[in-house]
Amino acid sequence: MEIQSFNPPRRILMGPGPTDVPPRVLAALSRPTIGHLDPLFVKMMDELKSLLKYTFQTSSDYTMAVSAPGSAGMEACFVNLVEPGEKVIVCRNGVFGERMRENVMRCGGETIIVDDPWGRAVTPEKLEAALKAHPDTKIVAFVHAETSTGALSDAKTLCAIAKKYGCLTIVDTVTSLGGVEVQVDGWQMDAVYSGSQKCLSCVPGLSPVTFGKAAVEKIKQRKSPVQSWFLDQSLVMSYWSGEGKRAYHHTAPVNALYALHEALLLVQQETLEHVWLRHKTQHLNLRAGLEELGFEFIVPESERLPQLNTVYIPEGKDDVAVRSFLLQNYNLEIGAGLGAFAGKAWRIGLMGYGARNENVAVCLHALAKALKN
Ligand SMILES: *Cc1c(COP(=O)(O)O)cnc(C)c1O
């Protein structure tokens, strides 16, 4: 074997995720593995649940982490809530909105698409028009922070419109949670999923999810069983919520959950308000430097995500050559463009632990060198 023991270099991760994992979280990950039904582990999971409730700003006990990445959290929401034949409106303004459409299709639902251009937020008026045209719609799904483009949609307004028409909402907060304000209860979100490796700065592989009362009610009243055994939340909940009678469903990723507990403790200790402010401040620092270097942002200012900055690749610069220069000379990873933006844009992440002065400084310095190269 060429690799006798894998020792990756310490990169600076400033792409769309995974992000830099703080030392405290990496240390938690390497602690002794114990049984997933061990009383001490169960106690840690109960705490992890309250930390997730704080981070999501919800009082729902149907809050947990799916033992798989963000895409599994997405799928968990769709397979549990969408029954065959039901109409679902999907707001699509990037790659992840399209992935939602795929999910509805595979659940046997009927999708109504509300399209917005790449790089723009979802237009609330378009959603309302679609709801008027399709009054039998059961669910509205949208992506709060579109990581493929860097656009932030107004989740509060979109959920309020969905509620007005009696719909449940499925909201993707994979990139927004821990980066910008998310108020699950306050904004009347029904089924919400996120990811461990973006603004929460944990290792990849876990997907926090939360279901409100109306969503739980709908799951309980399903006529057909959820087609996925692994993601059937009524089964998983007996593992996450059965106080004193926790039953085996699957073997939890024990060490990864230590890491998520630690990552969320960091959020709680800093407070959400400060976390949101820090992302905003570092975004403004980065923006100032990028504009000085002549970069142009893709997303209009009022719809921009602080934690994911998409800029056009300057004329005459080679996408791959610049990104390899950054990786080889500065151990710095920035994101390539995705989908319609492939080869046209870079995505510079300032997520979680990465939203710091040091990262902004290194990134600006390295980009300046790369552009002169
Ligand atoms: C990253 C991401 C996902 C998918 O998460 P994975 O952990 O890669 O499966 C879904 N939605 C959005 C908005 C994302 O940024």
Side-chain angles (χ1 to χ4, degrees):
M1 211 52 65
E2 194 186 326
I3 300 174
Q4 288 294 317
S5 176
F6 186 56
N7 277 296
R10 190 165 288 281
R11 304 274 203 217
I12 302 163
L13 300 178
M14 295 182 75
T19 51
D20 283 350
V21 179
R24 254 183 72 176
V25 175
L26 287 177
L29 191 69
S30 68
R31 291 187 188 133
T33 302
I34 60 174
H36 70 123
L37 294 170
D38 185 308
L40 291 177
F41 185 70
V42 169
K43 184 160 186 284
M44 191 281 292
M45 271 173 85
D46 284 340
E47 265 197 47
L48 173 52
K49 203 159 126 176
S50 6
L51 288 166
L52 283 172
K53 284 162 74 174
Y54 167 69
T55 310
F56 274 127
Q57 293 285 286
T58 181
S59 61
S60 173
D61 277 326
Y62 261 71
T63 304
M64 72 210 89
V66 173
S67 305
S71 305
M74 178 189 283
E75 195 148 336
C77 289
F78 284 93
V79 297
N80 282 275
L81 287 185
V82 181
E83 285 204 79
E86 286 184 345
K87 235 179 219 183
V88 181
I89 292 184
V90 172
C91 304
R92 181 174 63 181
N93 60 339
V95 165
F96 295 103
E98 168 57 19
R99 195 174 287 185
M100 286 178 147
R101 187 194 65 78
E102 290 257 354
N103 270 274
V104 175
M105 185 186 74
R106 285 161 195 251
C107 295
E110 185 189 335
T111 320
I112 310 298
I113 292 283
V114 171
D115 262 325
D116 268 295
W118 279 58
R120 297 302 306 266
V122 172
T123 310
E125 292 75 20
K126 287 190 190 170
L127 170 62
E128 183 144 21
L131 282 162
K132 273 194 184 128
H134 302 276
D136 52 340
T137 301
K138 296 276 190 277
I139 293 168
V140 169
F142 67 90
V143 179
H144 188 203
E146 227 333 321
T147 324
S148 60
T149 69
L152 176 67
S153 289
D154 181 352
K156 185 182 180 183
T157 300
L158 295 174
C159 289
I161 294 170
K163 286 283 134 185
K164 193 171 136 194
Y165 291 84
C167 290
L168 291 181
T169 51
I170 296 179
V171 187
D172 178 318
T173 64
V174 177
T175 282
S176 54
L177 195 69
V180 291
E181 185 172 8
V182 173
Q183 299 284 352
V184 169
D185 288 357
W187 296 349
Q188 317 175 70
M189 297 172 167
D190 294 301
V192 185
Y193 60 92
S194 190
S196 49
Q197 81 280 24
K198 308 225 173 165
C199 294
L200 301 178
S201 274
C202 184
V203 291
L206 291 170
S207 177
V209 293
T210 183
F211 297 89
K213 267 202 192 75
V216 171
E217 218 30 61
K218 183 156 198 304
I219 294 173
K220 282 186 179 153
Q221 284 168 10
R222 282 185 67 103
K223 289 177 218 71
S224 52
V226 171
Q227 68 265 37
S228 164
W229 178 85
F230 184 68
L231 295 173
D232 184 336
Q233 290 309 290
S234 52
L235 301 178
V236 178
M237 275 314 288
S238 63
Y239 178 59
W240 272 85
S241 72
E243 275 90 12
K245 50 182 164 60
R246 206 167 286 251
Y248 168 70
H249 175 263
H250 65 277
T251 310
V254 170
N255 291 58
L257 290 172
Y258 303 164
L260 185 60
H261 180 268
E262 197 76 14
L264 294 175
L265 270 179
L266 288 173
V267 169
Q268 190 214 36
Q269 286 160 5
E270 184 179 349
T271 76
L272 278 173
E273 290 73 17
H274 192 271
V275 163
W276 301 330
L277 181 68
R278 177 166 52 79
H279 282 87
K280 182 86 194 166
T281 308
Q282 293 306 340
H283 159 71
L284 293 176
N285 289 342
L286 180 73
R287 184 186 84 179
L290 287 174
E291 285 176 350
E292 222 164 276
L293 290 171
F295 279 102
E296 211 187 306
F297 275 81
I298 290 177
V299 180
E301 198 169 334
S302 61
E303 298 170 8
R304 242 174 241 170
L305 281 172
Q307 65 271 47
L308 194 82
N309 299 265
T310 42
V311 290
Y312 288 107
I313 297 175
E315 275 295 310
K317 291 293 159 190
D318 185 79
D319 175 23
V320 177
V322 169
R323 284 187 295 108
S324 350
F325 175 87
L326 297 178
L327 199 62
Q328 277 162 23
N329 295 282
Y330 293 90
N331 264 318
L332 171 66
E333 180 183 284
I334 64 167
L338 204 57
F341 287 141
K344 299 194 180 96
W346 287 323
R347 295 180 297 156
I348 306 176
L350 284 173
M351 295 186 183
Y353 186 59
R356 289 180 289 155
N357 286 333
E358 298 95 298
N359 280 29
V360 171
V362 167
C363 179
L364 290 172
H365 173 81
L367 276 173
K369 291 276 185 201
L371 295 186
K372 278 204 206 102
N373 211 23

